[in-house]
């Protein structure tokens, strides 16, 4: 059993090493979900070691729990879409930031029965707004792409904000594509609800109080290209992700249910029991 535990940790380390081969703007984001998902699965394995003394029974339960973990992870987006689509009202204007597969699934579910429009932010580092807008337009949703620096200008025309998350923190805050905090701050100032769609395997036992509390592997600051006209002493850089504290978040749509930020810590305790 200890040998299996060591091999699983080695597999986790290899997955994290693979994250480092991704484009600079994606590394910090993939590290978070891979790390938290791996830690949760390792906890399932460790718990099995402790519960069963019989070796054959332990192996059987490891297989059963591993399969269950995989099924739940694969079904999580559909579950979240089913729970969250009711919060997108007919005729609403939704603002999205950071290309998210689970948020796209939620909007696709809502589009089956309702008509609404979407504002999609576009900005650096990865320039994913164009692809995100194309995804939503393909669903038949009226889509407008805006600069992420224009969020405050358009926010008064928005009914709800919907974002994904690369990681959900123990205090109910989230780590997501840089600019999420800016969007959430504008939304709070204009009294617009901010909804986060995230799978429970992204729940992480981290409790940041500010941006500086994020591990470098999670924030992952990257250099930005500069035009040739820039002065040689100019340095341009940006984090791939930022941290949005729980007070800026209205609700989280998860496969465990619809949660307030304050409920995340209780769910983390249950996950790791």
């Amino acid at each position: 059993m200890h040998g299996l535990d060591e091999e699983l940790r080695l597999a986790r380390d290899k997955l994290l090493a693979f994250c480092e081969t991704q484009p600079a703007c994606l590394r910090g984001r993939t590290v978070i979900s891979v790390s938290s998902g791996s830690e949760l699965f390792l906890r399932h394995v460790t718990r099995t070691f402790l519960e069963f003394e019989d070796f054959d029974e332990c192996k059987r339960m490891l297989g059963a729990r591993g399969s269950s973990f995989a099924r739940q992870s694969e079904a999580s987006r559909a579950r979240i879409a089913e729970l969250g689509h009711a919060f997108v009202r007919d005729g609403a204007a939704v603002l999205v930031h950071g290309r998210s597969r689970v948020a796209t699934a939620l909007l696709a579910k809502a589009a089956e029965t309702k008509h609404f429009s979407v504002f999609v932010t576009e900005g650096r580092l990865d320039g994913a707004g164009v692809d995100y807008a194309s995804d939503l337009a393909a669903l038949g949703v009226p889509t407008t792409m805006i600069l992420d620096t224009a969020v405050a200008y358009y926010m008064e025309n928005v009914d709800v904000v919907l974002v994904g998350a690369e990681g959900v923190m123990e205090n109910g805050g989230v780590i997501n594509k840089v600019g999420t905090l800016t969007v959430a701050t504008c939304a709070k100032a204009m009294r617009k609800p901010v909804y986060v769609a995230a799978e429970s395997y992204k729940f992480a036992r981290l409790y940041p109080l500010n941006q500086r509390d994020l591990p470098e592997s999670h924030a992952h600051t990257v250099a930005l290209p500069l035009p040739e006209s820039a002065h040689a002493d100019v340095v341009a850089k940006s984090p791939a992700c930022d941290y949005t504290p729980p007070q800026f978040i209205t609700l989280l749509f998860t496969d465990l249910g619809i949660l307030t930020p304050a409920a995340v810590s209780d769910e983390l305790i249950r996950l790791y029991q």
Side-chain angles (χ1 to χ4, degrees), residues 220-242:
H220 201 91
T221 300
V222 297
L224 296 176
L226 284 170
E228 293 181 1
S229 59
H231 192 279
D233 292 335
V234 172
V235 176
K237 62 181 182 178
S238 174
C241 301
D242 61 21

Side-chain angles (χ1 to χ4, degrees), residues 49-153:
F49 294 173
L50 299 174
E51 289 179 2
F52 300 95
E53 295 183 2
D54 181 76
F55 185 67
D56 289 334
E57 179 66 7
C58 186
K59 287 197 297 181
R60 188 185 71 79
M61 288 306 301
L62 278 173
R65 288 179 176 176
S67 297
S68 176
F69 186 90
R71 286 195 302 271
Q72 290 176 19
S73 298
E74 290 171 354
S76 58
R77 286 182 203 151
R79 166 72 171 159
I80 293 168
E82 191 65 39
L83 289 172
H85 79 90
F87 288 79
V88 179
R89 301 190 311 274
D90 200 44
V94 183
L95 187 143
V96 297
H97 175 76
R99 194 180 186 188
S100 165
R101 289 175 294 184
V102 66
T104 301
L106 189 156
L107 292 173
K109 183 67 176 177
E112 293 177 2
T113 57
K114 286 168 280 193
H115 298 282
F116 58 91
S117 60
V118 178
F119 292 102
V120 180
T121 61
E122 166 63 9
R124 300 163 82 177
L125 302 166
D126 56 3
V130 175
D131 294 331
Y132 201 180
S134 298
D135 293 342
L136 296 172
L139 297 173
V141 177
T143 303
T144 302
M145 192 173 69
I146 64 173
L147 289 175
D148 53 5
T149 51
V151 164
Y153 179 89

Side-chain angles (χ1 to χ4, degrees), residues 10 25 31-32 43 77 112 114 117 127 131 135 144 159-160 169 190 216 224 246 250-251 254 265 272:
L10 178 62
C25 57
V31 164
I32 298 166
R43 175 56 187 151
R77 286 182 203 151
E112 293 177 2
K114 286 168 280 193
S117 60
D131 294 331
D135 293 342
T144 302
D159 294 300
V160 298
M169 304 297 97
M190 298 189 185
E216 173 59 25
L224 296 176
T250 308
L251 291 172
T254 79
S265 59
Y272 280 90

